[in-house]
Each structure stands twice: as structure tokens, then as C-alpha cells.
Amino acid sequence: MTAHPLTDVFEEHRPLLMDVAYRMLGRVADAEDVVQDAWLRWSRADRDEVRAPRAYLVRVTTRLAIDRLRQVRARGEAYVGPWLPEPYVTEFGDTVPDTAERAVLAESVSLAVLVVLETLSPPERAVFVLREAFGYPYAEIAALLDRGEAAVRQLAGRARRHVEERRTRYEADPARRRDLTERFLAAAAGGDLAGLMSLLAPDVRLVGDSGGKAKTPVRVLHTADKVGRFLIGAARKDGPGLTLRYVETNAGLAILALAGDRPDALFQLDVVGGRITTVYIIRNPDKLRSLADR
């Protein structure tokens, strides 16, 4: 059976729409809902009015994501402990062949950058994502958001300064990140505190996100000594009952810990200058559901 042309066009652009929605929201389920809503708009659209399907779909998705982000913030729900974005499986494959473009896309979806993006207003976040992650011209962003180009440039400048002031430097070399991740896992799982400490920057941070639904530190841990001792203690207590595997999430190698076939925790590292500067641990079960089949 041949697919309907409407479906063919939408499916062609679905990966892009999902990438935009996730960077806007930091939540996989919300991004999927936004893309589904975009499909409903697309299926009802007047074909004579849609001369550029890609532009139309990105515009609809961005506006829906802005609305969803405003709704989430308006609810003002309290979150127990540090908040991290939901892990997002990223496999660029052959669709992004250019190394420089891969680096830009990778940084824009990293946990460190997404945490900073949470502090932007919805319009600032939309402009930053479209401009910095996907390289849209200011004029095109202005058309997508129904704003003047001067206003869009202002939003972009304000968002860029905000992000630059708060984000950490990014180790773009995947080979170096993989090497540090593999050595980190070997040291932690083997109870090698000295080996682990040699990988951690002196001012390393450990950020744990459980949403109050699992055990992680309720505050960010600082210093190599505290982080190293916590990780070794956790590995001794919980490690024997877990199966560990590597997955690629947020454009970086991560360690997925499984209890049976259930995702129990995801570990991902920020690496700068050959040292681990941040250890992220996600244990909120609601955020790990999308990794169940990995």
C-alpha cells in the first residue's frame, strides 16, 4: 500500500520537528505531543496556502512548543531536587555529514546547554534554538514567529549572552569523551577510588535528578573527594544488581544501568581538558521510560 503524500511529506520532516521541539522543551514526551499536534495541523491545512512545507511545519512546531513551555511554567510545579532534561537518544547517522555541523548540533542538545536554556523566556529559547542550533537566518526566524527582524535580533543577542555566561565549555571530541567515560565506568565499578579521582577535575560537580522518586543526592555535590566517594559507595551498594551498557543520549556517550530490563539510572559526563567536570545522574523513572528498549 502506498503512503498518502501528506504522510510522506510530514514523515520526511519529523526528525527535524522532533529535534526542534525537544530543544525547546527538554522533555521527550512533551516534544512528541507537540509533533503530534503539528501533524494534526498539517493534516487540516489548506494545501493551496502551504507553499513551503518545511517552513510551515517548523513554524507550527515552534509555536506549539512555545505554548507548551508557557503552560508548563504557568503550572509552577515544585520539583524535588535538581532538575535535568529528559535523556534524548541522538543518532545523527549520515544525515549530518559535516563535522562542524555535528559539533553545533551536539552542543545544542547537551545536558549542560539544555539546563541553561530552561532559564530563558519561551521566545528567547525559540530564537536561540532556531538560530544557534539550526542556523536559520534572522529574517526567516522573524517570519516563523511573526515578529520584526530587529526584535528577533534583540532576542537572539540577549539569549546568546545569557547562555554564554552560564554554560560550561564543551569537549567536542567524541573519542576523548568515550575514553573518559569508559575509564570512569571501570574505576567506579571496580571500586578504584584513586583511579576515579585521577579522572575528576578538582571542582567537579555531581548533579542527580530523581524527582523524589529514587535515591540521588538532593543537592549538587562539589569537589572530587565528595563526588568520588559517593560514586564508589553507590557502586558497592547497588552495582552488583545492575547491568550496564553504553547508549548515545544528548549527543554523547552515556552509561545506562538496568535492573533486570528496567532502566534504573543514566550517567553522563561533561569533559573539559581531559578531566570530568560534571557527572549527571538521572534516576527519575518517568524520564527513563524512553530508554527501556535500548
Side-chain angles (χ1 to χ4, degrees):
M1 181 179 292
T2 302
H4 192 281
L6 276 176
T7 304
D8 285 346
V9 172
F10 189 85
E11 291 303 318
E12 176 187 349
H13 297 295
R14 181 186 287 274
L16 169 63
L17 305 182
M18 188 65 190
D19 283 350
V20 170
Y22 174 76
R23 285 167 172 81
M24 281 290 300
L25 298 163
R27 302 160 181 84
V28 174
D30 283 354
E32 289 173 341
D33 287 346
V34 161
V35 172
Q36 181 60 29
D37 288 346
W39 158 250
L40 295 176
R41 300 283 183 93
W42 169 250
S43 67
R44 296 195 297 261
D46 184 342
R47 304 271 64 79
D48 294 332
E49 297 293 323
V50 181
R51 296 182 176 83
R54 176 188 170 102
Y56 174 86
L57 289 168
V58 170
R59 180 173 69 251
V60 168
T61 299
T62 302
R63 291 178 177 178
L64 288 170
I66 288 173
D67 290 343
R68 178 64 64 95
L69 193 57
R70 284 173 171 155
Q71 291 167 9
V72 169
R73 293 184 177 181
R75 290 199 297 265
E77 298 170 352
Y79 196 81
V80 179
W83 178 92
L84 290 172
E86 185 176 348
Y88 183 45
V89 176
T90 46
E91 297 171 343
F92 294 144
D94 296 327
T95 60
V96 187
D98 180 71
T99 302
E101 188 178 351
R102 279 176 180 266
V104 170
L105 286 172
E107 183 173 13
S108 72
V109 80
S110 70
L111 295 181
V113 168
L114 289 172
V115 168
V116 177
L117 293 188
E118 280 291 304
T119 64
L120 299 179
S121 70
E124 286 173 342
R125 188 164 181 168
V127 172
F128 183 88
V129 167
L130 293 173
R131 177 66 181 174
E132 301 297 325
F134 297 99
Y136 275 78
Y138 290 115
E140 193 167 347
I141 298 173
L144 289 173
L145 300 181
D146 276 344
R147 288 173 176 259
E149 186 174 340
V152 165
R153 287 179 179 273
Q154 259 191 344
L155 285 170
R158 191 159 62 238
R160 191 181 305 111
R161 287 191 299 272
H162 186 89
V163 173
E164 288 294 337
E165 288 169 0
R166 289 163 177 79
R167 72 175 167 187
T168 57
R169 291 172 296 164
Y170 182 77
E171 174 60 72
D173 185 347
R176 293 182 70 181
R177 296 181 68 191
R178 172 174 283 275
D179 176 63
L180 263 293
T181 301
E182 290 175 347
R183 290 163 61 193
F184 168 87
L185 176 57
D192 180 4
L193 179 59
L196 184 60
M197 294 280 285
S198 72
L199 306 176
L200 302 175
D203 57 349
V204 64
R205 302 180 309 137
L206 184 145
V207 184
D209 178 338
S210 70
K213 300 179 180 181
K215 289 185 179 180
T216 58
V218 294
R219 295 181 179 85
V220 177
L221 297 184
H222 295 270
T223 76
D225 182 66
K226 289 181 180 178
V227 171
R229 292 184 184 282
F230 171 83
L231 290 168
I232 293 296
R236 286 174 178 163
K237 181 180 178 182
D238 302 321
L242 299 174
T243 301
L244 303 175
R245 66 178 57 167
Y246 293 115
V247 294
E248 183 181 303
T249 59
N250 297 83
L253 188 67
I255 302 163
L256 179 63
L258 297 135
D261 59 357
R262 176 182 59 81
D264 181 81
L266 185 84
F267 298 79
Q268 194 160 35
L269 312 175
D270 272 351
V271 176
V272 177
R275 290 288 189 95
I276 297 167
T277 55
T278 308
V279 178
Y280 299 104
I281 305 176
I282 299 174
R283 294 203 67 200
N284 185 334
D286 298 336
K287 295 185 176 183
L288 297 175
R289 288 174 184 163
S290 62
L291 303 178
D293 297 327
R294 293 288 158 179

